Amino acid sequence: MNVAPDPKSIPQGTLLSPEAGQAAAPATATGVLTVDLDAIVANWRKLEKTAVPAECAGVVKADGYGCGAEQVARALSNAGCKTFFVATLDEARAVRAAVPTTAAIYVLGGFFQNTGDAYAKIDCKPVIGDLNELAEWDVFCRRSGWSGGSAIHIDTGMNRLGMTVTEAQGIVPRINAGDHGITLVMSHLASAELLNNPANARQLTAFREIASLFSGVPASLANSSGIFLGAQFQFDIVRPGCALYGINPTPEADNPMQPVVELKARIVQIRNIERGDTVGYGGTWTARRPTRIAIVAAGYADGYFRAASSNDGTRGAEVVVAGRRCPIAGRISMDLTAVDITDLDRNAVRRGHMVTLIGEGITVDELAHHFGTIGYEVLTSLGRRYARIYKGGNATGEPPAPPPAEPAAAST
């Protein structure tokens, strides 16, 4: 049973977790990243419903898009997710420790030489995108007797990883012969977030034709944005990633997903400057009036990119201070960011208070716009100096037990 901590035992300045019984952020934390696992689960359920009858997997690569692969995988598994995708074997190890042995884990980054034993040890499947990889995997399986299966990745227009359609056609006789060990055939959309991009239809046609030759093998094409292109893109398994974490998979329309992360950073100093004074490296921002500046303990080393800086001609990003948006003043540096708080009541904020960098209306996608990038990069760049707090989703629980065996059928 979770028990709320005794307030008298908490050091002054400690940041409490939003839920009783979960670890509190230490008073020494310069910033706090809160991950709402229940929101991730809600997003997965929405995607699952949108893709019915296709299975909805979970892409948890890059440490769960910066949100914590083990915590995210565990929460999704508890919600019913049975298939996970990662990029590397190391990521697969972390996810395997968090999910039941019955869950399938696919490694997207390809099969490296002499790594078969590592796949077998944790029971995960390589996504094979090259005939040489396939030959090496076959040698390992024959020598070891391993029969855990693998996926085949076919390139239909991304020109990144994957066999050509012609190469994939060459292994169709293997499919027809049976006992082929291939558990999934997949491709990846290059422009799914652009609803009317003709590349989507071309890739769909190419994949449908080749996947139809892989008789009896489940097929997967749709990423987060691909799910919203329609049922014809969804096949047997969909592979949402960014949408799970609150990034808008439909940038030409309103975001259908719930926000997942909140990011706060601590004010380490408040200072007054005179009209005409400059702030930050290069003196690119000049005070046009007597100004109060809050110095916040977050910078580009923490994933708060320098591109969101402001200068005398360009307004940069904003943060929320005491419930109100305030603009960044000058260049963001490695560890610190200056914020103009002149318009706040003087008693509204003081040293040690937290400001909101993501949350309270500031979305990951908005911040990505100021950074000149995409929400994926924002989330995966969040620094390790932030204390992390998890809300909901069995955040501190043990890996779920495998489902109970089916009862034996009664004799007749």
Side-chain angles (χ1 to χ4, degrees), residues 18-44:
E19 295 190 2
Q22 295 181 11
T28 55
T30 55
V32 178
L33 175 66
T34 301
V35 179
D36 188 342
L37 296 172
D38 286 343
I40 292 176
V41 168
N43 288 339
W44 180 79

Side-chain angles (χ1 to χ4, degrees), residues 324-346:
R324 182 168 176 176
R325 286 192 175 221
C326 296
I328 288 173
R331 286 181 179 164
I332 296 166
S333 55
M334 182 180 290
D335 314 300
L336 300 167
T337 297
V339 179
D340 183 351
I341 59 169
T342 310
D343 292 332
L344 298 180
D345 186 286
R346 295 189 69 85

Side-chain angles (χ1 to χ4, degrees), residues 161-179:
L161 292 179
M163 298 180 187
T164 67
V165 170
T166 300
E167 289 172 334
Q169 288 171 337
I171 63 175
V172 169
R174 169 182 179 149
I175 303 298
N176 295 334
D179 195 27

Side-chain angles (χ1 to χ4, degrees), residues 168-374:
Q169 288 171 337
I171 63 175
V172 169
R174 169 182 179 149
I175 303 298
N176 295 334
D179 195 27
H180 45 72
I182 296 172
T183 56
L184 182 69
V185 58
M186 60 170 283
S187 189
H188 192 65
L189 294 165
S191 304
E193 72 280 6
L194 305 173
L195 294 177
N196 297 314
N197 192 310
N200 295 325
R202 290 196 298 268
Q203 286 194 261
L204 174 62
T205 298
F207 184 67
R208 183 190 291 122
E209 290 176 356
I210 187 63
S212 68
L213 302 179
F214 282 65
S215 178
V217 178
S220 178
L221 177 63
N223 54 8
S224 290
S225 297
I227 292 171
F228 292 90
L229 292 177
Q232 68 271 31
F233 285 84
Q234 294 167 2
F235 291 88
D236 300 298
I237 300 177
V238 296
R239 313 186 308 271
C242 74
L244 294 175
Y245 308 100
I247 295 171
N248 188 359
T250 58
E252 297 176 359
D254 291 340
N255 190 353
M257 315 316 299
Q258 293 187 21
V260 166
V261 301
E262 181 183 67
L263 179 61
K264 294 180 179 288
R266 195 183 297 275
I267 295 173
V268 294
Q269 189 177 100
I270 295 177
R271 58 192 305 119
N272 298 308
I273 63 174
E274 299 299 323
R275 182 174 182 270
D277 286 347
T278 61
V279 174
Y281 283 118
T284 58
W285 187 92
T286 307
R288 299 180 181 179
R289 57 180 175 172
T291 299
R292 295 182 76 220
I293 296 291
I295 307 300
V296 176
Y300 56 78
D302 305 293
Y304 200 74
F305 296 167
R306 192 170 183 265
S309 302
S310 67
N311 57 48
D312 287 339
T314 304
R315 189 178 178 93
E318 297 176 327
V319 305
V320 177
V321 186
R324 182 168 176 176
R325 286 192 175 221
C326 296
I328 288 173
R331 286 181 179 164
I332 296 166
S333 55
M334 182 180 290
D335 314 300
L336 300 167
T337 297
V339 179
D340 183 351
I341 59 169
T342 310
D343 292 332
L344 298 180
D345 186 286
R346 295 189 69 85
N347 296 320
V349 62
R350 63 178 183 271
R351 179 176 63 87
H353 280 185
M354 294 297 227
V355 307
T356 301
L357 309 180
I358 301 174
E360 296 188 66
I362 299 176
T363 67
V364 171
D365 292 302
E366 177 186 335
L367 199 56
H369 173 75
H370 286 291
F371 288 170
T373 185
I374 56 177

